[in-house]
């Protein structure tokens, strides 16, 4: 059996090696490392794939969130609602911009923003909602957009984990994750579903005026060379990364299918185990399985984590600490009772190896090892 990896970047690279090597060599031959033609070409390809008017590439997914908030003109003291159960980048940029993070609980089946908690968290100071499409499926955007409209709030979709997922509205309209709110952001970190070979990110919007503002902001607030109209940042996707992404984007749907296939094999193997809860997919979204995350109900999650490691099966706890309990983000405004689900999930979740290269033998070994341990 091939050695099992949490994410198999090498195996995936080997299948596209010729193309990647050629195109990286092209960039080296021209030495247009920043703002080369590969960046513009990838931007256009992603606009077409997502069916969105503007994609603004930037340096990483964290910058994308920060710049989106800057572009919307959020001001110190404005409250921004996001989830307690996610990667810290989301709350980090809110805090960096001196906005006030307001964390809310998630749903225990989908791990995404709890709509009732969101409603409860809105105050006259609320300016924006940041739903995170966690682990690869969309949050309840229909409800979130309705609430945002009613209260005149911006919606910034953090789709770092769900690029390629499709949302279906009640009227049958379909949209890609990241294209439903005022702005969407994503990350091309190597382990993400559309990953480059370093850092990368992008911001999406259908609002041309906002896109213009953001395009200047990513480039030192310049709209004309050496004229700085606003305070900006330096956040670029480089040509080498764009070249890799340009090759991988046409394969994204195939990559999503490979992940789904692995997820189906996992879920089928665990379907009759009363101590294992497999991922629940909401009816309004497809799932692209950035992570395949189980909930272990018999209190043996930590033992399973170690048992799998002992058997050469990598696995991870995403996430071990709720954001409201992190030293950097603790606040007396928070009440433990408001985070019942997150407080429970941190003790029960475990994410299994998930990538495009898992084979049947590996899946069989992983599932058998788990089933023999969790009865
Ligand atoms: C990875 C990730 C980010 C940050 O992306 P980087 O490119 O690593 O800065 C933001 N939000 C979520 C939910 C992520 O998973």
């Amino acid at each position: 059996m091939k050695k099992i990896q949490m994410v198999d970047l090498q195996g995936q690279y080997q299948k596209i090696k010729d193309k990647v090597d050629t195109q990286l060599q092209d960039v080296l031959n021209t030495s247009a490392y920043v703002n080369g033609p590969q960046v513009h070409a990838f931007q256009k390809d992603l606009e077409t794939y997502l069916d969105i008017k503007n994609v603004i590439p930037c340096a990483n997914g964290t910058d994308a969130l920060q710049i989106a908030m800057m572009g919307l003109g959020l001001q110190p003291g404005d409250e921004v609602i996001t989830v307690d159960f996610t990667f810290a980048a989301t709350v980090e940029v809110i805090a960096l911009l001196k906005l006030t993070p307001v964390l809310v609980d998630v749903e225990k089946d989908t791990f995404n923003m709890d709509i009732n908690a969101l409603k409860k968290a809105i105050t006259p100071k609320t300016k924006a909602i940041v739903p995170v499409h966690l682990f690869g499926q969309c949050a309840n955007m229909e409800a979130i957009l309705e609430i945002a409209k009613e209260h005149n709030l911006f919606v910034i979709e953090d789709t770092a984990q769900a690029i390629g997922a499709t949302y279906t509205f009640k009227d049958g309209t379909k949209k890609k994750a990241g294209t439903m709110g005022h702005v969407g952001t994503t990350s091309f970190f190597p382990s993400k579903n559309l990953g480059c070979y370093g850092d990368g990110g992008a911001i999406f919007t259908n609002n041309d005026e906002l896109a213009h503002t953001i395009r200047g902001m990513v480039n030192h607030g310049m709209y004309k060379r050496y004229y700085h109209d606003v305070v900006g940042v330096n956040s670029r996707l480089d040509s080498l990364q764009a070249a890799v992404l340009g090759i991988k984007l046409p394969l994204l749907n195939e990559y999503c299918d490979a992940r789904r296939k692995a997820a189906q094999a996992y879920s089928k193997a665990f379907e009759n185990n009363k101590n294992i809860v497999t991922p629940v997919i909401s009816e309004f979204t497809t799932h692209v399985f950035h992570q395949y995350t189980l909930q272990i109900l018999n209190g043996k999650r930590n033992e399973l984590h170690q048992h799998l490691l002992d058997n050469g099966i990598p696995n991870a706890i995403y996430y071990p600490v709720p954001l409201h309990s992190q030293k950097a983000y603790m606040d007396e405004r928070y009440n433990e009772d408001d985070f019942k689900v997150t407080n429970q999930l941190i003790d029960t979740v475990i994410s299994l190896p998930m990538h495009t290269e898992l084979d049947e033998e590996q899946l069989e070994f992983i599932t058998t090892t788990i089933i023999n341990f969790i009865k």
Side-chain angles (χ1 to χ4, degrees), residues 60-62 65 86-87 89-90 132 158 160-161 187 189 192 200 319:
N60 58 69
T62 310
L65 282 162
T86 180
F87 181 57
T90 328
V132 179
D158 181 350
Q161 301 190 2
S187 163
F189 187 75
K192 303 280 157 120
Y319 294 91

Side-chain angles (χ1 to χ4, degrees), residues 56 67-68 70-73 203 207-233:
I56 303 113
I67 296 158
M70 289 166 61
L72 290 170
I203 305 157
N207 180 332
D208 293 339
E209 206 178 314
L210 178 61
H212 174 76
T213 303
I214 289 175
R215 278 202 189 95
M217 275 180 172
V218 299
N219 190 23
H220 302 291
M222 279 196 287
Y223 298 88
K224 193 173 137 189
R225 207 160 169 78
Y226 302 122
Y227 289 78
H228 305 270
D229 296 356
V230 295
V231 178
V233 295

Side-chain angles (χ1 to χ4, degrees), residues 264-285:
Q264 273 162 13
Y266 278 142
S267 288
K268 189 158 192 320
F270 304 133
E271 70 188 346
N272 294 321
N273 191 312
K274 64 181 190 323
N275 285 315
I276 299 176
V277 181
T278 56
V280 176
I281 309 172
S282 304
E283 73 282 357
F284 46 68
T285 176

Side-chain angles (χ1 to χ4, degrees), residues 6-275:
M6 195 65 188
V7 179
D8 184 359
L9 296 176
Q10 186 58 229
Q12 195 188 58
Y13 163 64
Q14 287 304 329
K15 293 186 176 159
I16 53 173
K17 183 179 185 312
D18 289 348
K19 255 192 185 162
V20 170
D21 293 2
T22 308
Q23 299 211 15
L24 291 183
Q25 191 59 54
D26 283 351
V27 177
L28 298 178
N29 291 344
T30 59
S31 304
Y33 299 122
V34 170
N35 273 334
Q38 295 81 4
V39 180
H40 190 68
F42 169 66
Q43 173 202 322
K44 290 289 157 200
D45 290 350
L46 190 55
E47 284 168 356
T48 305
Y49 176 84
L50 294 172
D51 191 19
I52 188 126
K53 280 162 79 182
N54 304 281
V55 164
I56 303 113
C58 66
N60 58 69
T62 310
D63 276 6
L65 282 162
Q66 179 181 332
I67 296 158
M69 289 176 201
M70 289 166 61
L72 290 170
L74 300 182
Q75 296 297 322
D78 287 350
E79 292 181 0
V80 179
I81 301 175
T82 192
V83 284
D84 191 33
F85 188 65
T86 180
F87 181 57
T90 328
V91 69
E92 178 178 67
V93 302
I94 297 172
L96 269 177
L97 292 172
K98 306 274 185 244
L99 313 173
T100 305
V102 175
L103 298 171
V104 298
D105 211 355
V106 295
E107 301 172 336
K108 82 167 182 321
D109 49 355
T110 66
F111 313 123
N112 276 326
M113 184 176 275
D114 183 293
I115 300 304
N116 287 323
L118 164 63
K119 285 185 189 159
K120 248 185 76 182
I122 293 172
T123 76
K125 287 188 176 166
T126 309
K127 286 285 150 48
I129 310 170
V130 188
V132 179
H133 302 314
L134 202 74
F135 299 158
Q137 71 171 321
C138 295
N140 186 346
M141 288 303 292
E142 188 130 19
I144 291 168
L145 291 172
E146 227 166 77
I147 292 164
K149 202 167 168 195
E150 187 186 331
H151 296 272
N152 203 15
L153 309 174
F154 293 121
V155 175
I156 304 164
E157 291 173 70
D158 181 350
T159 191
Q161 301 190 2
I163 195 158
T166 305
Y167 191 97
T168 307
F169 287 85
K170 286 194 192 108
D171 68 1
T173 314
K174 286 183 193 297
K175 288 194 180 173
K176 286 285 184 202
T179 68
M180 295 173 271
H182 298 86
V183 202
T185 66
T186 202
S187 163
F188 305 122
F189 187 75
S191 64
K192 303 280 157 120
N193 288 29
L194 179 61
C196 56
Y197 296 167
D199 276 308
I203 305 157
F204 324 135
T205 183
N206 274 315
N207 180 332
D208 293 339
E209 206 178 314
L210 178 61
H212 174 76
T213 303
I214 289 175
R215 278 202 189 95
M217 275 180 172
V218 299
N219 190 23
H220 302 291
M222 279 196 287
Y223 298 88
K224 193 173 137 189
R225 207 160 169 78
Y226 302 122
Y227 289 78
H228 305 270
D229 296 356
V230 295
V231 178
V233 295
N234 170 20
S235 189
R236 294 184 277 243
L237 179 73
D238 68 68
S239 309
L240 290 165
Q241 303 311 333
V244 172
L245 291 166
I247 295 162
K248 287 178 75 173
L249 179 60
L251 301 169
L252 179 58
N253 287 347
E254 216 174 281
Y255 288 161
C256 292
D257 286 341
R259 287 170 176 274
R260 265 183 222 119
K261 212 172 140 209
Q264 273 162 13
Y266 278 142
S267 288
K268 189 158 192 320
F270 304 133
E271 70 188 346
N272 294 321
N273 191 312
K274 64 181 190 323
N275 285 315

